Amino acid sequence: GGKVHVAGPGGAAWSTAWSAHMRSLRLLAVAVLAVAAAQEEEEEGDFKSENARRRDEAAKYTYCEEDNCYDLLGVKQTSLAFAIKRAYRRLAAEWHPDKNPDPMAREKFQKFANAYSVLADTEMRANYDYLLEHPMEFPMHFMRFGSGQYAPKTDPRVALALCVLLVSAMQYVYRHQTRANLLASAKQSREYQARLRLLMEQMAEAEKKGADKKGVSGKARQTSGSSKSSRKGGAAAELRAAAEAQLEVELESELGEPPSWKNTLVFSLVPMMREFYAVITKEPETLTRRALGLSAYQWGLIDAEEREELLGKELWESDNLEAYNEEMGIGGDAGAAQKPKKPSKAKQRKAALRGGAAEAMD
């Protein structure tokens, strides 16, 4: 009397039907996605074609040229049509050439009318809004009618001064480092080591001769001999340090003057600027020196009393200079700047100073 469940042909048929149903659902889902993607591509293509059409249409007109149509009428880009119309009527009534005697009234009235004709037309306004929202797509329009000007944020004079200071600092550092490298290279050379040993021997010999001349007693010599071994290391170090110091002085003299800020660009420009400023402001000392054809160094060698006398003659005036040349018996063309007798002595003194410096170096 029990029930027996037997898998018959009906169960297999149901399973096959379910599998077919699921495949149909999957195919339907794929078809729906494909249609959605095609629709999206079509809409995107329509959007791109609409933008391309709007761009081509917007590029045909000049609109308000260098002005902004909204700013001309005093309205915003979001203003409605009636607000734009009201603003135009107010401006037209105020700037109508028949009512306003201002010479610029006709030109302004035409600008207001042009701006209103752009913004009153729905299609033209849409084209103009597209141009304002996509300026990178219309470079020729803004290059043609743009009124922007470059305005540096930093004063050019400040920038120039900073550049001069930077170049001067680089000059000083470079020369200082070059000199240090030359000294270090010279100290490592064989010639330097040979000179150092020779100088140490000479200094030791001179010290020995000095001790002999002082007449050191036998007891002192015996004491000196007993402590010689203990003082040998320190004395040799002191002797070497003294010799190196002397050789460094010689090397410094051979390399010439050490680097200084006075040899940089900023200090070379300062005298030129001072000279130019003195000429522009008519500084008496500079004008007198230039009239006599003297350098600043030669002018400094003249006695103070004679400089005051020369300043009082106002030699920068051609008549005074000619009279001075005749008084001093200086020949040459009239009005030519000639050097007085004193500067020739100054030159001799300068030559003497140079000769003395050369002898001191020898």
Side-chain angles (χ1 to χ4, degrees):
K3 294 182 179 180
V4 179
H5 297 279
V6 179
W14 183 84
S15 177
T16 303
W18 175 256
S19 299
H21 179 67
M22 293 301 296
R23 284 196 299 270
S24 300
L25 288 177
R26 285 196 292 268
L27 290 174
L28 181 61
V30 171
V32 170
L33 292 175
V35 171
Q39 254 183 344
E40 186 177 353
E41 289 180 0
E42 185 178 356
E43 291 177 359
E44 186 177 354
D46 294 341
F47 179 76
K48 289 183 178 179
S49 61
E50 175 63 21
N51 281 350
R53 186 194 65 80
R54 180 69 66 187
R55 181 175 62 251
D56 296 339
E57 190 70 19
K60 295 180 180 179
Y61 308 98
T62 58
Y63 305 102
C64 297
E65 298 183 350
E66 69 274 4
D67 298 314
N68 186 295
C69 297
Y70 292 102
D71 293 341
L72 282 174
L73 299 181
V75 295
K76 297 180 180 180
Q77 192 170 350
T78 56
S79 299
L80 299 178
F82 75 90
I84 295 174
K85 187 175 183 179
R86 183 175 56 189
Y88 167 67
R89 286 183 175 180
R90 177 178 55 80
L91 292 171
E94 179 182 355
W95 290 96
H96 197 281
D98 296 339
K99 300 179 181 179
N100 194 324
D102 194 315
M104 301 295 295
R106 182 174 298 276
E107 180 180 351
K108 289 188 175 182
F109 179 79
Q110 291 178 352
K111 286 188 175 184
F112 296 145
N114 183 44
Y116 179 70
S117 66
V118 171
L119 300 181
D121 187 286
T122 305
E123 183 68 15
M124 185 68 74
R125 182 179 179 182
N127 294 335
Y128 184 62
D129 289 343
Y130 185 87
L131 180 139
L132 293 179
E133 293 169 0
H134 304 84
M136 299 302 295
E137 297 183 12
F138 305 92
M140 296 305 299
H141 176 87
F142 292 97
M143 289 177 63
R144 181 180 177 185
F145 300 111
S147 58
Q149 297 180 353
Y150 171 74
K153 297 182 179 179
T154 306
D155 191 338
R157 294 170 294 183
V158 176
L160 179 60
L162 291 177
C163 289
V164 171
L165 291 176
L166 179 61
V167 171
S168 301
M170 293 175 63
Q171 282 182 327
Y172 176 80
V173 172
Y174 173 76
R175 291 174 180 173
H176 182 79
Q177 188 62 38
T178 302
R179 187 183 182 88
N181 293 339
L182 289 176
L183 285 173
S185 178
K187 290 180 179 180
Q188 294 177 359
S189 63
R190 295 181 180 179
E191 292 80 2
Y192 176 84
Q193 297 299 329
R195 289 176 61 185
L196 179 62
R197 287 193 296 271
L198 179 60
L199 185 59
M200 290 177 62
E201 293 176 359
Q202 292 176 353
M203 294 176 69
E205 186 68 22
E207 184 179 355
K208 184 178 179 181
K209 290 181 178 179
D212 292 341
K213 287 182 180 180
K214 290 181 181 180
V216 182
S217 62
K219 184 177 181 180
R221 289 181 181 178
Q222 184 178 0
T223 305
S224 176
S226 62
S227 60
K228 182 177 181 180
S229 58
S230 61
R231 294 189 304 108
K232 184 176 181 180
E238 293 178 0
L239 193 63
R240 184 181 183 86
E244 287 179 347
Q246 184 173 340
L247 283 180
E248 187 170 354
V249 172
E250 295 179 5
L251 290 175
E252 291 280 354
S253 62
E254 291 178 2
L255 291 176
E257 295 183 1
S260 172
W261 284 101
K262 295 182 179 180
N263 299 327
T264 57
L265 177 63
V266 61
F267 276 87
S268 62
L269 289 178
V270 168
M272 296 171 58
M273 295 173 63
R274 290 182 59 187
E275 188 84 7
F276 179 76
Y277 177 79
V279 173
I280 295 299
T281 57
K282 297 183 179 181
E283 187 180 45
E285 182 173 333
T286 303
L287 295 177
T288 302
R289 179 170 59 79
R290 291 173 64 88
L292 295 173
L294 301 176
S295 65
Y297 177 79
Q298 292 173 335
W299 176 261
L301 294 178
I302 300 178
D303 296 338
E305 296 181 0
E306 187 171 355
R307 286 203 300 267
E308 292 295 332
E309 182 181 353
L310 292 174
L311 292 175
K313 294 180 180 295
E314 298 183 357
L315 299 180
W316 55 87
E317 300 290 344
S318 58
D319 296 339
N320 297 341
L321 179 61
E322 185 177 355
Y324 174 76
N325 289 336
E326 293 179 357
E327 178 184 352
M328 300 298 294
I330 300 176
D333 298 335
Q338 301 291 339
K339 299 178 183 179
K341 293 180 179 179
K342 199 69 178 180
S344 61
K345 295 181 181 179
K347 283 187 174 181
Q348 295 177 1
R349 187 184 308 173
K350 183 178 178 180
L353 290 174
R354 288 181 176 178
E359 292 178 1
M361 291 180 64
D362 296 339

